[in-house]
Amino acid sequence: SLHGALPICPTGVGDSVEITAMAPPSAIGRRLTFAVSAVDSSGQIVAAGEVDRAIVDRGRFLASVARKRRDR
């Protein structure tokens, strides 16, 4: 999920924007929250926020999907 991503200021048409995501030092449970920011070509922050990601056990997830398909 993305939250806190309201634009701080507009950028001009054709202006370049660099997006940076800072990895968290550690997970909280199965959740990782990355701090993200967007900086325009003049070095001004134009947007900032956080992105939440979940750590998922791939094998368990795929088994769950297969069960749900089978049970349709």
Side-chain angles (χ1 to χ4, degrees):
S1 70
L2 179 63
H3 51 90
L6 298 175
I8 295 170
C9 67
T11 58
V13 174
D15 196 2
S16 62
V17 177
E18 182 177 322
I19 309 297
T20 303
M22 299 296 294
S26 62
I28 298 172
R30 294 184 312 139
R31 173 186 265 177
L32 295 169
T33 300
F34 294 83
V36 294
S37 63
V39 178
D40 69 11
S41 60
S42 71
Q44 183 174 6
I45 295 175
V46 294
E50 294 180 334
V51 175
D52 289 330
R53 304 299 290 180
I55 299 170
V56 176
D57 180 294
R58 188 173 193 267
R60 272 185 49 198
F61 176 77
L62 293 175
S64 173
V65 169
R67 269 193 313 276
K68 289 178 183 178
R69 283 185 178 169
R70 219 178 19 247
D71 294 342
R72 280 192 202 176

